[in-house]
Amino acid sequence: QVQLVESGGGSVQAGGSLKLSCAASGYMFNSCGMGWARQAPGKERELVSTITLDGTTSYADSVKGRFTISQDNAKNTLYLQMNSLKTEDTAVYFCAADCITGFLNDHYHTPLNEYNYWGQGTQVTVSS
């Protein structure tokens, strides 16, 4: 069974930083495109960032310049470095894997509704 487990969430003041981790088991990162999504109270889930098998990255406009996605294939771990955090970033953050299209096309940035596997999420709370 494929499992994704997020960690690193918590409470931080506006302007601070957090680094989220997503540990994967059951497959290797070199077989799947990966992404981070988030969902805030009263809002739809949104795609925050993606990284493809060919190493290209994408970011939502709301986090561009502040967040950085990366992965360590040797450790089978995905990361999201979050800097200059704002109260609007408060949400549950999820990691996700696309092991179908993201494998067949190594430059494919998977849309939110096409990920095949999801973690349980980790809470990030940013206070003013």
Side-chain angles (χ1 to χ4, degrees):
Q1 295 287 339
V2 173
Q3 286 191 315
L4 302 172
V5 181
E6 302 96 336
S7 63
S11 182
V12 65
Q13 289 185 312
S17 298
L18 284 173
K19 188 173 185 177
L20 305 183
S21 298
C22 174
S25 62
Y27 72 101
M28 302 302 296
F29 273 17
N30 63 7
S31 297
C32 309
M34 304 296 296
W36 287 96
R38 67 185 182 186
Q39 188 163 23
K43 295 184 178 180
E44 297 289 328
R45 186 173 298 190
E46 64 174 338
L47 190 61
V48 174
S49 182
T50 61
I51 183 166
T52 65
L53 286 176
D54 66 4
T56 59
T57 59
S58 69
Y59 299 92
D61 288 341
S62 59
V63 307
K64 192 172 297 182
R66 300 187 297 119
F67 291 11
T68 303
I69 189 171
S70 63
Q71 61 189 29
D72 186 335
N73 287 330
K75 297 180 179 179
N76 237 28
T77 302
L78 181 74
Y79 302 98
L80 185 68
Q81 178 67 51
M82 305 186 294
N83 297 327
S84 302
L85 283 162
K86 305 174 180 179
T87 56
E88 305 96 282
D89 296 318
T90 295
V92 177
Y93 284 72
F94 302 88
C95 67
D98 172 12
C99 304
I100 300 177
T101 308
F103 170 73
L104 297 172
N105 301 293
D106 65 0
H107 60 286
Y108 185 65
H109 289 277
T110 306
L112 180 64
N113 64 350
E114 293 185 12
Y115 283 95
N116 313 118
Y117 303 102
W118 291 86
Q120 294 300 305
T122 185
Q123 177 71 49
V124 172
T125 302
V126 184
S127 60
S128 61

